[in-house]
Amino acid sequence: MISVFDTSIASYNSGNQIIMDSVLKEIDNLFPQDSIIRIPTEDISTNARRYNSNSLMTFVGGTNILNTNIRQYRQWDLTLHNLLILKRCVLMGCGWFQYEERKITKYTKWAYNRILSQEYIHSVRDSYTKEKLESIGIKSINTGCPTLWRLDENLKEINNHTKTENCILTFTDYNQNPQRDLEIFNILKHKYSIIYFFPQGTGDTSYLEKLGIANNVKIINPRLYEFNRILSCGTDYIGTRLHAGIRAMQLGQRSFIVGIDNRALEMARDFKLPVLTQDDISQLSDWITGNYNIRLNLPTTNIEEWRLQFKK
């Protein structure tokens, strides 16, 4: 049995569903004969601890789940009780919560070294996370997020596309910047006939209303399948939600991601994702109408090295 800490369970952010789609696809390919048990990260119960104990290994599925002080910020339910029981956890494309200058606390160092596997190399999302983990003696390899691992298969299709008639937009409720986001919207309204809006998080629609532009866009159902459907009709993506932008690329569509945090900026630096910094929004208009020619720098050697340790 293989268990997976599924970061999309009880999550208000459908971006975690995008990550877990790719995580579970990889695990299915690595372990086609094994039972796969999905367990939550934010509320680890007796059953979840038992599944972990009975599993050959337990993968931790992506997202920015790591940080310098697990007592202060607990996206992963690592209480002392859970730390004393959980074991053999293997990171899969995980990243650091945000840029943190402070040192990793002694308690956090002890916790990560206790529950993370010493047998396998861990897969991390970017160089920043790799440096953080290796500073406390945990072996890791920079593979990028699992959502990137198969993007090379779609690059030819993406780069053959020209600007579409309509677009789909996202904003981020927990990183509000009205000046930035209204500038993005004002550029799009001159470039596209219809602007769809996808509420990836539960507060995104309220933020859109706060901006005063809710009546100028078509707000779609906040289900991931509806986002996929609109994209599959041939629609450009523009927005501040990183994984919505990656899903657009997975579906062969042009994607213009506005980087507002360490996740997008680090993956753009490492893998050349199409990310525009929030200080360069004025370039978005030319970017949309220009020649879209993405050349990703995916760490295929690292990805295969990470996969191979389980095949052995």
Side-chain angles (χ1 to χ4, degrees), residues 159 161-164 184 187-188 191-192 236-240 245 249 254-259 264-265 268 272-278 280-296:
N159 287 332
H161 284 319
T162 56
K163 178 186 165 295
T164 58
I184 294 170
I187 290 172
L188 299 189
K191 296 293 182 182
Y192 296 96
D236 286 350
Y237 167 81
I238 301 97
T240 60
M249 298 179 72
R254 300 197 316 165
S255 179
F256 304 91
I257 301 165
V258 178
L265 298 176
K272 300 191 183 303
L273 275 183
V275 174
L276 190 69
T277 69
Q278 54 188 336
D280 296 322
I281 301 300
S282 59
Q283 299 177 22
L284 179 59
S285 180
D286 292 338
W287 204 19
I288 290 171
T289 54
N291 181 29
Y292 193 87
N293 189 21
I294 300 300
R295 291 287 181 269
L296 297 177

Side-chain angles (χ1 to χ4, degrees), residues 167-171 177-197 207-208 211-219 238-240 258 281-282 284-285 288:
C167 74
I168 188 162
L169 168 68
T170 64
F171 290 137
N177 184 325
Q179 181 179 351
R180 173 197 69 205
D181 296 335
L182 285 173
E183 185 178 0
I184 294 170
F185 170 75
N186 287 328
I187 290 172
L188 299 189
K189 73 179 182 181
H190 295 296
K191 296 293 182 182
Y192 296 96
S193 299
I194 299 174
I195 301 174
Y196 295 99
F197 183 80
Y207 176 51
L208 190 73
L211 290 174
I213 57 175
N215 292 331
N216 302 104
V217 302
K218 288 193 173 183
I219 303 173
I238 301 97
T240 60
V258 178
I281 301 300
S282 59
L284 179 59
S285 180
I288 290 171

Side-chain angles (χ1 to χ4, degrees), residues 113-178:
N113 275 278
R114 179 175 178 82
I115 66 168
L116 295 180
S117 172
Q118 301 295 319
E119 180 180 358
Y120 296 103
I121 299 174
H122 298 275
S123 154
V124 295
R125 188 181 60 201
D126 50 54
S127 298
Y128 182 80
T129 306
K130 175 179 167 63
E131 291 171 5
K132 286 288 189 183
L133 284 181
E134 294 197 337
S135 73
I136 57 173
I138 295 174
K139 292 175 63 177
S140 63
I141 190 167
N142 184 4
T143 62
C145 179
T147 54
L148 307 180
W149 292 5
R150 299 176 186 268
L151 279 186
D152 270 343
E153 302 168 6
N154 299 337
L155 276 187
K156 185 176 181 180
E157 179 185 359
I158 296 170
N159 287 332
N160 282 339
H161 284 319
T162 56
K163 178 186 165 295
T164 58
E165 182 178 354
N166 306 321
C167 74
I168 188 162
L169 168 68
T170 64
F171 290 137
T172 306
D173 60 346
Y174 60 82
N175 193 325
Q176 298 183 13
N177 184 325

Side-chain angles (χ1 to χ4, degrees), residues 12-30:
Y12 62 85
N13 184 346
S14 58
N16 287 329
Q17 295 176 38
I18 297 171
I19 296 172
M20 289 308 304
D21 282 352
S22 295
V23 167
L24 293 170
K25 182 181 294 184
E26 291 293 333
I27 292 174
D28 284 343
N29 288 335
L30 286 171

Side-chain angles (χ1 to χ4, degrees), residues 223-242:
R223 307 288 197 278
L224 185 57
Y225 64 76
E226 183 67 3
F227 180 63
N228 294 342
R229 186 186 71 80
I230 298 292
L231 284 170
S232 298
C233 292
T235 311
D236 286 350
Y237 167 81
I238 301 97
T240 60
R241 291 285 190 174
L242 169 63

